[in-house]
DNA sequence: CTTAAAACCGAATCTATATTCAGTTAATTC
DNA sequence: GAATTAACTGAATATAGATTCGGTTTTAAG
């Protein structure tokens, strides 16, 4: 008997990512993915039960390999430094992996996103939440609810990265520095 | 001969908005819109050429009646006051018109959005751009590019409003005040 | 009151794609 | 190296839903 080929699964994922970059999530068909991955359309169903499952699995992988891997092992650093490092990493990741980020962003708001996948999303936010709490205890972060502070950071980084990518502005250390200052000015006590 | 019934068009728009609130943009069918608006599906095509046109027209209307109407006639006020008033209005609008905002948000990232409609979006941003420029001249706003400042304001208000709505948190004057302070701390010189 | 034209209806059509499946190929095991 | 079994193929199927269209109703105009 024959075994599944892991490289084939990679090829399928890559095809999906590339096609999102080229066409946008909603114009992608299973046939197009199959063609780009150099397999027959029926083969996709050996590796995935459905289009929905394919995308959800890809999304989860990108979140864990991309976003979560961004959280550095920097627990020994002061709060502000930790936030600064994370800020820099996230911005870097988001502006240098255009196709992946496009996929993640489009999929996040698509009807295909399933309930299970939604949970993964919160891991990253939870980490930020803990940092902010620590910052409040040290009296260096404004004593305001997470509901008010987190949308600032999350909304800014998301919008900023998309804006820069969209306008073809290359991320420079100077931009990273300036934007973090803005962000910190916003939340510092 | 018979004339088009303007109330019917309203009913169609309202049906589309309500259905977005109930089901999300992507689950909406022309038949469902027709049913909720109490017309036959064929009738939709008397008023609109296609589903795409229907949604684009609705989106444009919501932008101009909603978002643009938010820009108050406050040109005589100091920059900071103007920004504060706009901030308050946008937040108020975004949290108290859940179905409309859901539609606008979902449609904004949907494949149906056409090029022409995209242009309308920028009117609001242009207004903010002019305010920031004036603020920089007065040395009260950080001397940084719009590409860096605008995503902060836009990303924050967008994310914040969605977050509050999603978590069922009612917008209070205190939240408006606190969030504007955050925003202003971020951009002030 | 008549007539013409356009709104209106909703069943039938058309289309795009996700998914299936019968047949074929390749790799694993003994 | 034969048998077995799962991967693999891609044409055929199934289906959802946008759009069309022939027939019907309404109303403005004369």
């Amino acid at each position: 008997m024959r075994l599944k080929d892991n490289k084939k699964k990679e090829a399928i994922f890559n095809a999906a990512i590339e096609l999102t970059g080229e066409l946008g999530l909603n114009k992608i068909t299973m046939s197009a993915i199959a063609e780009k991955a150099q397999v027959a359309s029926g083969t996709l169903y050996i590796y995935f039960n459905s289009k929905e499952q394919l995308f959800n699995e890809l999304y989860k992988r990108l979140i864990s390999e991309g976003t979560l891997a961004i959280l550095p092992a920097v627990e020994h650093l002061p709060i502000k430094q930790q936030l600064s490092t994370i800020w820099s990493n996230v911005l870097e990741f988001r502006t240098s992996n255009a196709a992946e980020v496009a996929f993640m962003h489009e999929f996040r708001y698509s009807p295909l996103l399933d309930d299970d996948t939604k949970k993964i999303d919160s891991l990253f936010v939870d980490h930020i939440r803990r940092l902010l709490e620590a910052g409040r205890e040290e009296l260096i972060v404004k004593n305001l609810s997470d509901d008010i502070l987190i949308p600032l950071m999350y909304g800014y980084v998301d919008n900023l990265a998309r804006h820069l990518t969209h306008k073809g502005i290359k991320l420079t250390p100077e931009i990273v520095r300036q934007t973090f200052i803005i962000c910190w000015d916003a939340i510092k006590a």
Side-chain angles (χ1 to χ4, degrees), chain A:
Chain A
M1 74 153 198
R2 207 166 161 185
L3 295 178
K4 282 181 191 168
D5 181 352
N6 239 325
K7 285 183 184 169
K8 210 154 276 179
K9 195 165 186 176
E10 290 312 305
I12 293 170
F13 278 151
N14 285 332
I17 292 171
E18 283 174 39
L19 283 170
T20 310
E22 291 166 20
L23 308 172
L25 186 62
N26 23 53
K27 293 207 179 122
I28 295 181
T29 64
M30 291 299 261
S31 310
I33 295 173
E35 191 177 359
K36 177 153 286 205
Q38 311 231 48
V39 298
S41 56
T43 303
L44 299 180
Y45 291 87
I46 305 281
Y47 292 88
F48 307 96
N49 297 327
S50 65
K51 188 184 189 182
E52 176 169 347
Q53 198 221 320
L54 189 164
F55 282 129
N56 275 280
E57 202 171 311
L58 173 55
Y59 182 77
K60 284 186 207 170
R61 163 184 300 216
L62 291 176
I63 288 286
S64 45
E65 290 189 359
T67 308
L68 294 181
I70 278 171
L71 293 175
V74 284
E75 292 179 27
H76 57 288
L77 292 176
I79 306 289
K80 184 178 172 183
Q81 306 304 320
Q82 287 192 49
L83 284 172
S84 167
T85 309
I86 292 171
W87 182 264
S88 171
N89 285 358
V90 172
L91 216 44
E92 185 67 44
F93 177 79
R94 291 209 163 211
T95 50
S96 59
N97 298 278
E100 279 87 346
V101 172
F103 172 81
M104 285 192 274
H105 188 263
E106 290 197 45
F107 185 71
R108 176 190 218 80
Y109 296 112
S110 92
L112 295 172
L113 186 77
D114 67 31
D115 291 339
D116 187 54
T117 305
K118 280 180 190 159
K119 292 177 192 158
I120 303 242
D121 259 0
S122 58
L123 291 176
F124 187 83
V125 173
D126 286 344
H127 186 93
I128 303 297
R129 207 184 295 282
R130 285 191 294 276
L131 277 180
L132 290 177
E133 181 53 31
R136 274 189 292 259
E137 281 170 19
E138 291 184 23
L139 304 179
I140 57 175
V141 168
K142 284 190 174 79
N143 187 25
L144 294 173
S145 138
D146 287 334
D147 294 322
I148 283 178
L149 295 180
I150 289 182
L152 173 107
M153 304 183 71
Y154 191 80
Y156 187 24
V157 81
D158 188 53
N159 218 269
L160 177 65
R162 190 164 57 243
H163 180 76
L164 296 178
T165 304
H166 187 259
K167 285 194 69 175
I169 300 172
K170 195 172 150 17
L171 188 71
T172 61
E174 185 61 8
I175 293 179
V176 174
R177 203 182 62 79
Q178 289 172 341
T179 55
F180 181 69
I181 289 174
I182 285 180
C183 188
W184 181 252
D185 281 351
I187 68 172
K188 78 175 177 201

